[in-house]
Amino acid sequence: LFDGLSYILSPFTMSDTAIEELYRQTFSDRLVTPEESDDLIATLQSLQQIQDEDLSSPSPALTPDRFVWLRAAAFRIACEYLVQEGDVNSDGEEFEDPREENVRLLKSVNAVVHALETTCLLPSLSEEGGEEFSEDAVEELFKTLYETEEEWDGPEITVEESKDLTEFLTGETTRPPLEMLVWLRTAAFRIGSEYLDENNDKEKNLSLLRSINVVVHVLENTCMKTKPYELQLPESLIPTPETDFQAAAQTLWKLDSNRLQPQKDYIIDVQNYKHPCHKEDCASDPLFTHVDPAVFDSRPTFRAFRLLLDNYSRHCGEEEEVTEEESEENRHFLDVIMETGPMKYCHQYCLAKKATYGGES
């Protein structure tokens, strides 16, 4: 599975593009053996560590604030490998059974998601489930989510349906027990495979994959939690009392795996140059010509920050009334950013410098 990928998958060169290439290599034959699954988990775990001492490469791809993107990217890349009538394999021959190829693809996506969850998440379920929980009830709910009212449409899960699934998984009487965690996700894929289009219509199957991604997202949000992030640095990069501020600032910048990528996440138009002393506006068009709106929802730190924007008055000196909801949003934002590489490093730096706050260390 990983032949030829030793370079692009090393921690020295890891990037979004390399992660996507890993997925393509995984899905190309629509088969992930148990041995390949173990190798995939080992590879993902290696990406949680920083081994490039001068930090000339991007920081690890597997940090808590990257998980949603990693899983969504797996589904997005898998869509490239859906088979429809007339498609040919790598030998130039038509697939004998396109639907079976798509079933195998879903099994491969399930294996990748399992590897991601094993690497990045922990169960949040209790040992005992609700008294009304049953496998039949779950399967019936999944079928309801994947069914379509019109034969020419693919499945599309609405916000209300997502809320219904959330309520089922968190309800006092219907919540699943811990022992059913893996079964839940596997069932989401297994039931989903039953709704692959009989005529192998690609657009309908694309819609199905998006729906399965939504179900898996809800399962992860309600039944799992992020593993505590531990920043692992080479010894030469661990802050000491002698670490100067400029070196620390450079390390913080390099550790930020969550920043947007130019030309991909956003595009700017700098337009005309002018001297700083000139006051006239030489740029009549907006600075930003494109910003991918998905980044604001797929990155927990971005999402948490946006919730704060309506908490404060724009007018200087105007007294504000802070509600309990706003206080909770503040605490949530602090919790989220403290699970990132830059803030973990900042904490280590302060400890090394014996920094104090209010006279306390």
Side-chain angles (χ1 to χ4, degrees), residues 126-314:
S126 58
E127 294 286 345
E128 299 293 329
E131 58 186 21
E132 296 180 13
F133 174 84
S134 70
E135 294 181 14
D136 289 343
V138 172
E139 293 184 352
E140 189 60 35
L141 178 55
F142 286 166
K143 290 178 180 178
T144 301
L145 294 173
Y146 296 142
E147 286 174 351
T148 56
E149 296 182 1
E150 305 292 345
E151 63 178 22
W152 56 82
D153 291 332
E156 182 176 343
I157 297 179
T158 65
V159 173
E160 288 302 318
E161 289 173 327
S162 294
K163 290 181 179 178
D164 290 342
L165 178 58
T166 299
E167 291 176 2
F168 177 89
L169 295 170
T170 57
E172 185 66 25
T173 60
T174 55
R175 68 181 188 277
L178 177 60
E179 63 180 3
M180 299 302 294
L181 180 57
V182 175
W183 179 89
L184 282 166
R185 189 214 334 110
T186 302
F189 280 92
R190 174 171 51 81
I191 300 299
S193 68
E194 298 175 7
Y195 289 85
L196 286 165
D197 185 62
E198 294 182 357
N199 297 317
N200 304 304
D201 184 284
K202 191 167 185 178
E203 289 302 317
K204 292 182 180 179
N205 287 338
L206 285 170
S207 182
L208 175 64
L209 254 68
R210 287 192 290 266
S211 294
I212 297 175
N213 182 40
V214 171
V215 172
V216 172
H217 179 71
V218 174
L219 288 173
E220 291 166 351
N221 279 350
T222 56
C223 302
M224 308 188 79
K225 60 184 178 181
T226 304
K227 286 183 179 179
Y229 177 49
E230 296 182 7
L231 179 62
Q232 301 181 35
L233 293 169
E235 186 174 350
S236 62
L237 292 176
I238 296 175
T240 68
E242 289 72 38
T243 302
D244 65 73
F245 185 78
Q246 183 176 355
Q250 185 64 23
T251 302
L252 284 175
W253 171 257
K254 293 293 187 179
L255 282 173
D256 186 11
S257 63
N258 207 26
R259 63 177 178 266
L260 302 188
Q261 297 183 35
Q263 306 307 315
K264 179 181 179 183
D265 298 316
Y266 69 92
I267 300 174
I268 63 172
D269 179 13
V270 296
Q271 301 168 66
N272 296 326
Y273 167 82
K274 71 171 187 176
H275 194 277
C277 66
H278 296 161
K279 298 185 180 299
E280 69 273 14
D281 185 359
C282 294
S284 57
D285 296 327
L287 174 62
F288 286 86
T289 60
H290 169 74
V291 178
D292 182 3
V295 302
F296 299 113
D297 292 321
S298 63
R299 308 188 187 204
T301 50
F302 285 36
R303 190 166 61 245
F305 177 74
R306 291 188 77 190
L307 293 175
L308 306 181
L309 297 182
D310 62 353
N311 291 359
Y312 307 100
S313 172
R314 299 182 179 182

Side-chain angles (χ1 to χ4, degrees), residues 14-17 19-20 23 58-73 76 116 120 226 255-261 264-265 295 298-302 339-340:
M14 178 49 58
S15 65
D16 290 357
T17 302
I19 284 285
E20 292 171 351
Y23 291 156
S59 57
L62 288 182
T63 53
D65 51 358
R66 296 285 286 155
F67 178 78
V68 174
W69 180 89
L70 287 161
R71 192 238 310 128
R76 174 169 50 80
L116 287 169
C120 302
T226 304
L255 282 173
D256 186 11
S257 63
N258 207 26
R259 63 177 178 266
L260 302 188
Q261 297 183 35
K264 179 181 179 183
D265 298 316
V295 302
S298 63
R299 308 188 187 204
T301 50
F302 285 36
E339 289 299 311
T340 64

Side-chain angles (χ1 to χ4, degrees), residues 350-361:
C350 290
L351 290 176
K353 293 290 187 178
K354 299 188 184 313
T356 61
Y357 177 74
E360 299 182 3
S361 59

Side-chain angles (χ1 to χ4, degrees), residues 2 9 11 14 18-19 22-23 26 36-49 60-63 67 70-71 74 111-120:
F2 301 104
L9 294 182
M14 178 49 58
I19 284 285
L22 170 61
Y23 291 156
T26 304
E36 290 173 336
S37 180
D38 291 341
D39 289 343
L40 179 58
I41 292 174
T43 300
L44 294 172
Q45 289 174 340
S46 72
L47 301 180
Q48 294 180 311
Q49 304 177 11
L62 288 182
T63 53
F67 178 78
L70 287 161
R71 192 238 310 128
V112 170
V113 173
H114 174 73
L116 287 169
E117 291 177 352
T118 299
T119 306
C120 302

